[in-house]
Amino acid sequence: MLGEYAWGARALAYLYRQLGIASRAESKGVAGCLTLLQCWIYDHFPTLRPRRLEPRELEQGQAGAFRWRGISPHSTKKRDAQMLAYYRQAIDTLTPQLVCWTPYGQSPHLTVRHTLYQGLLRFAEIVEPYDPTRCLRQLGYVQSVPYPPERPLVVRRPASTLGYSLSYQSVYDSWWNNLGAHSVHLDLYSTPVRRRPWEFVEDYMGWYIRHSHPQIVSDSRPRRDIADADTVSTIIFEIICIK
């Protein structure tokens, strides 16, 4: 029966929960499938990636993670602090032109139909929402204001990681198996991009700035630049948090 389980969906549910826990003030680490998270970042953000291996250097059957040559493990605390400052600045100065919006093709949902699934993912007692309307540009569509998120029935997000807990409504396996009723119909919700892969509707940026964190380092750029569609930082968290 192992082949009947959606292991990728379970890995995402667990990773989403761990990212939520890692966002707490007292958190000092993060768990989950971090190889998946790293490779996703490398695929979408060329300025944040290590040197990529040529396809001929990969052995047949190797996982996609082997496309990337790792960074030297030898480091010092001073070097680590410099790297942290570098990556914070690199994220804050991202422009839409520096993002690879569709690294898996212009229409990945045509190959993997469950990409358009909209609902809840479950792994054991962990339940997390999944909503592709928050990353329409990864699907080759104009980004619009997404649907309101699925609200948990019970939520506790203290500064400590120990008391973090969320509880959603019951999840039925039929949701995942009935894509017709639990998926986004892209042509009814948005339109394909025509000029630039980062296109969005007029009221999207106002919504994004109100609901997200446009900058990591508050004084890295003047606030007036954030609203500029051609210089706005397309923060990693917007696409990582597909939920």
Side-chain angles (χ1 to χ4, degrees):
M1 294 177 61
L2 291 178
E4 299 180 11
Y5 289 91
W7 294 106
R10 284 157 171 75
L12 279 180
Y14 186 76
L15 178 60
Y16 288 162
R17 178 58 55 90
Q18 295 304 318
L19 288 173
I21 294 174
S23 70
R24 300 301 89 198
E26 297 179 9
S27 175
K28 297 182 180 180
V30 61
C33 187
L34 300 184
T35 302
L36 169 63
L37 182 60
Q38 280 185 286
C39 291
W40 182 92
I41 293 171
Y42 296 161
D43 285 339
H44 289 83
F45 300 93
T47 58
L48 305 180
R49 66 175 58 154
R51 187 173 72 85
R52 186 166 184 163
L53 294 174
E54 295 297 329
R56 63 177 179 274
E57 297 183 56
L58 294 177
E59 297 180 8
Q60 186 175 2
Q62 279 187 315
F66 286 95
R67 292 176 300 185
W68 307 103
R69 186 180 298 279
I71 300 175
S72 172
H74 303 291
S75 62
T76 64
K77 289 185 177 181
K78 181 179 179 180
R79 179 177 179 273
D80 289 343
Q82 293 173 341
M83 291 288 287
L84 178 61
Y86 166 79
Y87 281 119
R88 285 176 171 172
Q89 183 67 21
I91 292 172
D92 275 353
T93 55
L94 278 173
T95 65
Q97 293 87 344
L98 296 178
V99 177
C100 181
W101 294 96
T102 54
Y104 313 124
Q106 190 67 18
S107 304
H109 54 285
L110 298 180
T111 303
V112 183
R113 293 179 59 240
H114 276 87
T115 300
L116 298 181
Y117 172 76
Q118 186 180 43
L120 298 172
L121 303 178
R122 177 167 62 89
F123 173 70
E125 75 284 356
I126 295 175
V127 177
E128 290 287 334
Y130 179 91
D131 185 3
T133 68
R134 290 179 174 257
C135 58
L136 292 174
R137 287 170 289 192
Q138 291 186 72
L139 306 176
Y141 278 71
V142 175
Q143 182 63 56
S144 55
V145 176
Y147 291 125
E150 187 76 27
R151 296 294 183 183
L153 300 177
V154 179
V155 56
R156 188 166 182 266
R157 295 189 179 102
S160 170
T161 61
L162 298 178
Y164 187 97
S165 64
L166 297 173
S167 176
Y168 288 88
Q169 62 178 304
S170 298
V171 181
Y172 301 99
D173 292 338
S174 60
W175 287 22
W176 182 258
N177 296 324
N178 186 5
L179 278 181
H182 297 281
S183 64
V184 175
H185 298 277
L186 290 177
D187 292 331
L188 299 178
Y189 189 81
S190 183
T191 58
V193 296
R194 299 187 183 279
R195 296 178 301 162
R196 301 174 298 184
W198 59 85
E199 287 185 60
F200 49 83
V201 297
E202 184 177 355
D203 56 346
Y204 172 73
M205 283 311 304
W207 174 90
Y208 175 69
I209 292 174
R210 290 194 306 271
H211 290 84
S212 189
H213 302 277
Q215 292 178 268
I216 295 178
V217 182
S218 60
D219 60 349
S220 62
R221 279 193 305 162
R223 182 74 184 184
R224 63 179 179 272
D225 290 345
I226 296 177
D228 188 334
D230 291 324
T231 60
V232 62
S233 174
T234 51
I235 282 298
I236 284 179
F237 308 118
E238 175 198 2
I239 312 182
I240 288 182
C241 297
I242 191 176
K243 59 177 179 175

